[in-house]
């Protein structure tokens, strides 16, 4: 749906597509292709749009695992631009439960927005992770927040995302259950308990980690 102004209402299922980067344009294109098969060939399609996911097993290119990995390794914590880009965050368990609701009870041909109702700036998320780490795994000196480094903003970086999930709530009796602060805390603790996995993902050796789990 593109970037929203600070006071603009969250995007609904009827909002206009406005991708601002090749990456988001590719996702919009896939939605249009799927819709065309529904309209032309009656292919049974249901589309869902979710907000930013977080939780266990997320690849460390994403914000939360990246910050955890860099922090415990005493590396800089990169924040794009001024860090005030806003995203709506949803725990992966809430997202999965929403998908099950859609599969079981959703209407073919419809679109459903799945959001966590947790609009936070990137800087707020990074600062929360630092606060959690300061408590659970203190540095020898100072706070992890001292490692925050503002870097050049990336091209086409949208300022704010927010989606309206009322259709999911009203039609499919779904609401997100995991509070953001507790969800992030449990997620950070999971990564701390699975540092071997996090390390091997970063080195590209995660297939060895997977094999070990099934030996």
């Amino acid at each position: 749906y593109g970037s929203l102004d600070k006071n603009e209402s969250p995007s609904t299922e009827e909002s206009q597509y406005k991708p601002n980067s090749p990456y988001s344009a590719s996702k919009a294109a896939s939605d249009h292709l799927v819709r065309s098969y529904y309209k032309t060939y009656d292919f049974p399609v249901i589309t869902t749009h979710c907000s930013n996911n977080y939780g266990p097993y997320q690849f460390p290119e994403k914000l939360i695992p990246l910050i955890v990995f860099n922090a415990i390794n005493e590396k800089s914590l990169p924040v794009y631009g001024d860090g005030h880009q806003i995203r709506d965050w949803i725990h992966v368990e809430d997202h999965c439960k929403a998908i099950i609701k859609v599969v079981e009870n959703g209407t073919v041909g419809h679109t459903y927005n799945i959001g966590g109702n947790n609009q936070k700036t990137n800087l707020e998320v990074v600062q929360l992770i630092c606060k959690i780490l300061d408590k659970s795994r203190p540095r020898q000196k100072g706070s992890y927040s001292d490692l925050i480094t503002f870097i050049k903003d990336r091209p086409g970086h949208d300022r704010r995302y927010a989606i309206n999930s009322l259709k999911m709530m009203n039609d499919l009796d779904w609401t997100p259950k995991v509070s953001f602060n507790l969800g992030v805390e449990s997620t950070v603790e999971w990564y701390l308990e699975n540092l071997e996995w996090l390390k091997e993902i970063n080195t590209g050796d995660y297939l060895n980690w997977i094999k070990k789990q099934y030996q």
Side-chain angles (χ1 to χ4, degrees):
Y1 300 124
S3 185
L4 298 173
D5 293 333
K6 183 177 180 180
N7 298 317
E8 195 171 355
S9 298
S11 302
T12 71
E13 289 82 357
E14 304 302 321
S15 296
Q16 180 183 354
Y17 281 55
K18 294 183 294 184
N20 293 321
S21 69
Y23 170 67
S24 57
S26 69
K27 294 194 291 183
S30 69
D31 278 7
H32 294 324
L33 183 63
V34 168
R35 181 180 183 276
S36 73
Y37 271 78
Y38 167 69
K39 290 293 185 179
T40 303
Y41 301 112
D42 293 322
F43 191 80
V45 165
I46 301 177
T47 301
T48 64
H49 295 149
C50 72
S51 57
N52 278 35
N53 277 224
Y54 71 96
Y57 291 107
Q58 191 171 35
F59 269 38
E61 65 178 3
K62 300 301 183 180
L63 181 62
I64 293 178
L66 171 66
I67 295 302
V68 173
F69 182 79
N70 279 18
I72 62 175
N73 286 285
E74 292 291 325
K75 296 182 178 180
S76 64
L77 309 182
V79 175
Y80 284 116
D82 61 6
H84 288 281
Q85 302 86 358
I86 296 173
R87 299 294 181 264
D88 173 25
W89 293 86
I90 183 171
H91 193 277
V92 64
E93 290 184 4
D94 279 332
H95 187 193
C96 290
K97 290 175 182 177
I99 291 173
I100 292 172
K101 287 275 190 178
V102 170
V103 170
E104 292 179 343
N105 301 306
T107 301
V108 171
H110 280 224
T111 296
Y112 296 90
N113 283 349
I114 303 171
N117 298 322
N118 292 303
Q119 293 186 51
K120 307 290 182 182
T121 67
N122 289 342
L123 184 57
E124 285 178 315
V125 175
V126 173
Q127 290 172 333
L128 175 60
I129 296 170
C130 290
K131 183 178 179 180
I132 294 169
L133 289 172
D134 284 340
K135 181 179 178 181
S136 62
R137 185 169 290 205
R139 298 179 70 198
Q140 290 185 351
K141 184 178 180 181
S143 167
Y144 286 100
S145 61
D146 297 334
L147 299 174
I148 294 176
T149 304
F150 294 94
I151 61 176
K152 182 180 179 181
D153 208 354
R154 69 187 189 208
H157 197 183
D158 289 332
R159 194 65 174 174
R160 173 176 173 248
Y161 295 151
I163 58 177
N164 182 321
S165 302
L166 285 177
K167 183 177 179 179
M168 276 292 303
M169 296 177 184
N170 294 333
D171 293 4
L172 301 182
D173 191 28
W174 170 90
T175 55
K177 302 296 185 183
V178 181
S179 71
F180 183 72
N181 282 20
L182 292 178
V184 173
E185 184 174 357
S186 66
T187 298
V188 171
E189 292 302 323
W190 186 90
Y191 285 119
L192 292 178
E193 293 170 1
N194 292 272
L195 291 177
E196 182 183 358
W197 177 86
L198 194 56
K199 180 180 178 181
E200 292 187 345
I201 289 290
N202 272 281
T203 61
D205 202 22
Y206 56 90
L207 291 179
N208 287 334
W209 184 90
I210 293 174
K211 291 176 182 177
K212 291 176 186 177
Q213 309 312 305
Y214 295 96
Q215 288 178 349

